[in-house]
Amino acid sequence: MIEFTAAQIAGALKGEIVGDGNVKLRDVAKIEEGHEGALSFLANPKYEPYIYTTKSSAVLVNRNFKPENQIAATLIRVDNAYEAFASLLDMVADAVIPKKSGIEQPSHIDPSAVYGEGLYLGAFAYIGPKAKIGKNVRIYPQVYIGDNVQIGDNVILYPGVKIYYNCVIGNNVTIHAGTSIGADGFGFAPNSDNNYKKIPQIGNVIIEDYVEIGANSCVDRATMGSTIVHKGVKLDNLVQVAHNVQIGENTVMSAQGGIAGSTKIGANCMFGGQVGFAPHITIADGVHLGAQSGVNSSIKTEGATMIGSPVQDYQSWLRSYVVFRKLPEIAKRLDTLEKKLK
């Protein structure tokens, strides 16, 4: 990171300095791992104790933060410390992450494919017939882009991404290493011989603008029509999206989650890790689900907060948890009572 003063960073983030605005900052660090010359941030109240002991030279805090003890570090007060730190990391990334350019060899671009200016194509990448690729796209080594695939502007495809035929990727999309877009949906019909006949999957996948998909995830193509990941969705690593699923705008899903076929997820939802959805259900907008929730029927209440398997209202689950964590003790007491009654 290039050296800045706290005052310069405050100016860039429209923040307010409390302390020494001339302190030099050369690095970023977690507040609990701070060191001289580092900039940290405090957004979660759980980490507040660290602000009184951190070795970081400056800390981004929310404007309404009220310290309970003396703080040695310079404070930079901003409207939203988490967002401000994310913006700062964007600037750091631009400065320190190398920008790839050009077409490396060996790689393959079919003569019928078209691409815009600013393309980076890594070694051993493949672009198939009639593919259309926008401007300023970065395609890292060993990426496969199939026939008739359409890719918008400012897309990043990290090593080993596979995009099957006829799929559509919007603008400003990032797909991380090893992810597959457009693999066949899991469709098999049982027959009289106790075998399974494969059902052809002739649809595609549409990934809209500003979507980010983590590493080793899979978004399956539709049986017919399209599997659709709408604008602004963020999927973590190891997420499975089955055929004909639709995920609403700005929904986020943590790692190891799975959505079964033809389920429709609303907009602005938040799902913890290992959440699973049964097929052919609908989830309302703004639903929040705790980690390892199992959803086997539709959730129709917008903004619901739920957890458990099968999933239930969060407050109801907490009351139930008070009981079932004591089940061994309750069983022991019942056993003792039965013996006394006999």
Side-chain angles (χ1 to χ4, degrees):
M1 180 177 178
I2 303 171
E3 185 176 271
F4 292 99
T5 65
Q8 287 172 323
I9 290 176
L13 299 175
K14 299 181 181 178
E16 172 191 354
I17 288 288
V18 179
D20 182 7
N22 293 318
V23 65
K24 299 289 194 299
L25 303 173
R26 299 175 296 275
D27 197 3
V28 292
K30 297 178 181 178
I31 193 169
E32 66 271 30
E33 300 174 358
H35 52 268
E36 184 179 353
L39 173 67
S40 299
F41 80 102
L42 173 65
N44 189 332
K46 183 173 76 171
Y47 290 89
E48 182 176 335
Y50 291 111
I51 199 170
Y52 307 113
T53 59
T54 186
K55 303 298 184 186
S56 291
S57 298
V59 181
L60 287 167
V61 297
N62 294 327
R63 291 192 194 276
N64 60 1
F65 171 68
K66 295 179 180 179
E68 296 179 355
N69 297 300
Q70 191 72 22
I71 298 174
T74 294
L75 300 184
I76 303 175
R77 293 185 178 273
V78 293
D79 292 335
N80 185 311
Y82 191 79
E83 287 185 6
F85 196 72
S87 297
L88 183 66
L89 290 180
D90 278 339
M91 294 188 289
V92 173
D94 286 340
V96 302
I97 297 177
K99 294 295 184 294
K100 299 283 189 177
S101 62
I103 297 175
E104 298 177 355
Q105 295 299 334
S107 60
H108 175 79
I109 303 175
D110 189 89
S112 63
V114 295
Y115 57 90
E117 61 185 18
L119 174 69
Y120 163 66
L121 186 67
F124 300 102
Y126 176 95
I127 299 176
K130 298 183 180 178
K132 295 180 180 179
I133 297 172
K135 299 177 182 178
N136 302 313
V137 172
R138 282 183 275 168
I139 300 171
Y140 282 81
Q142 297 183 331
V143 168
Y144 170 85
I145 297 172
D147 299 11
N148 302 306
V149 167
Q150 297 180 42
I151 296 176
D153 298 338
N154 306 309
V155 169
I156 302 174
L157 304 177
Y158 282 105
V161 169
K162 307 296 187 280
I163 303 177
Y164 287 48
Y165 61 95
N166 295 341
C167 291
V168 179
I169 311 296
N171 301 313
N172 301 289
V173 171
T174 299
I175 303 177
H176 288 274
T179 286
S180 170
I181 306 296
D184 281 358
F186 192 66
F188 298 89
N191 58 30
S192 57
D193 297 327
N194 260 352
N195 294 318
Y196 291 89
K197 176 177 173 55
K198 182 177 176 64
I199 300 171
Q201 307 291 294
I202 61 173
N204 73 341
V205 173
I206 297 174
I207 308 290
E208 293 187 348
D209 299 347
Y210 297 101
V211 169
E212 181 155 348
I213 302 176
N216 296 315
S217 295
C218 186
V219 182
D220 289 345
R221 72 190 315 105
T223 306
M224 295 176 287
S226 298
T227 302
I228 304 176
V229 180
H230 285 287
K231 182 178 179 181
V233 168
K234 313 298 181 189
L235 303 178
D236 200 356
N237 304 327
L238 298 167
V239 168
Q240 161 67 18
V241 179
H243 60 123
N244 292 95
V245 164
Q246 294 187 28
I247 304 178
E249 291 188 5
N250 301 316
T251 284
V252 295
M253 187 170 187
S254 295
Q256 299 181 358
I259 308 174
S262 298
T263 285
K264 293 179 172 57
I265 306 293
N268 303 305
C269 295
M270 297 181 69
F271 306 139
Q274 296 185 331
V275 170
F277 296 87
H280 304 282
I281 62 175
T282 300
I283 308 301
D285 294 345
V287 170
H288 290 200
L289 299 176
Q292 295 189 325
S293 293
V295 186
N296 55 14
S297 60
S298 294
I299 299 174
K300 299 179 181 179
T301 303
E302 292 189 9
T305 298
M306 308 181 77
I307 194 172
S309 183
V311 74
Q312 60 181 300
D313 174 76
Y314 182 69
Q315 293 301 325
S316 174
W317 182 86
L318 287 178
R319 290 191 292 271
S320 299
Y321 179 71
V322 171
V323 176
F324 63 68
R325 71 176 178 173
K326 295 181 179 179
L327 285 177
E329 177 188 340
I330 293 170
K332 185 177 180 180
R333 289 167 60 187
L334 284 173
D335 185 56
T336 301
L337 182 59
E338 285 179 345
K339 289 178 179 178
K340 287 183 177 180
L341 289 173
K342 289 178 181 179

